[in-house]
Amino acid sequence: PDVLDLGPDYLIESNTALCNGDSAVLNTDLNPQIYTFQWYKNDLLISGANQPSLTVSTPGIYRLDARYGSACIISDEVTIEMYPSIYSGADIPTLETCVFGTTVTPLDITINKQFIESQLLIDVDQTELYFYESENDAIDGLTLLRI
């Protein structure tokens, strides 16, 4: 029989975890004319998952049992982790600037920075925050301030 290797784990610790909305293809490279396949997630049978590859997009421990003939089974498993979702910014308060004649009130952008950092589920010391004047500027990548 062949060797079954589903590849390395997708882990946060090794910076290989999946982002929200991403997927990974677990591939056996085994011949489906020789082997039959059954995939499991967290030791539970995945109904209908009986192909040599499996696309995954949720965290868990995925295992494949590949059967050769009636008595020989080879198995491998891979752990899939997901990075926490990045804060979308939907609830960030809009900062306003008041202009009285020729006097402009200073805008303290650190108020938003502190609020955002309190909501993030990631290491803020390794994260750069970007502020934009408008949503369109953000879409166009016109950075107002990076902190």
Side-chain angles (χ1 to χ4, degrees):
D2 298 307
V3 174
L4 175 57
D5 182 7
L6 295 176
D9 294 333
Y10 291 75
L11 304 175
I12 292 171
E13 180 179 300
S14 62
N15 292 321
T16 57
L18 297 181
C19 292
N20 188 27
D22 286 349
S23 62
V25 177
L26 307 179
N27 193 7
T28 67
D29 292 325
L30 296 176
N31 186 338
Q33 294 181 4
I34 298 173
Y35 292 91
T36 58
F37 306 96
Q38 188 55 65
W39 291 91
Y40 299 82
K41 178 183 177 187
N42 300 328
D43 290 325
L44 298 174
L45 180 72
I46 303 173
S47 179
N50 56 7
Q51 298 299 313
S53 64
L54 180 71
T55 300
V56 299
S57 58
T58 58
I61 299 172
Y62 291 85
R63 184 183 87 233
L64 173 71
D65 291 344
R67 183 178 299 272
Y68 178 81
S70 60
C72 182
I73 296 177
I74 55 176
S75 295
D76 194 21
E77 68 180 31
V78 63
T79 300
I80 304 293
E81 293 180 347
M82 304 288 288
Y83 290 113
S85 295
I86 295 176
Y87 185 69
S88 70
D91 296 327
I92 297 173
T94 300
L95 296 178
E96 307 261 340
T97 302
C98 295
V99 178
F100 298 102
T102 59
T103 305
V104 177
T105 304
L107 181 65
D108 185 357
I109 206 156
T110 60
I111 294 170
N112 267 17
K113 182 179 187 292
Q114 292 165 356
F115 176 79
I116 294 167
E117 288 178 345
S118 72
Q119 302 298 311
L120 292 173
L121 300 175
I122 58 176
D123 184 358
V124 296
D125 293 330
Q126 296 187 22
T127 303
E128 291 183 349
L129 299 177
Y130 294 86
F131 292 88
Y132 303 90
E133 278 194 50
S134 68
E135 183 178 356
N136 284 339
D137 283 357
I139 292 168
D140 294 338
L142 303 175
T143 304
L144 172 65
L145 178 64
R146 183 180 86 185
I147 51 177

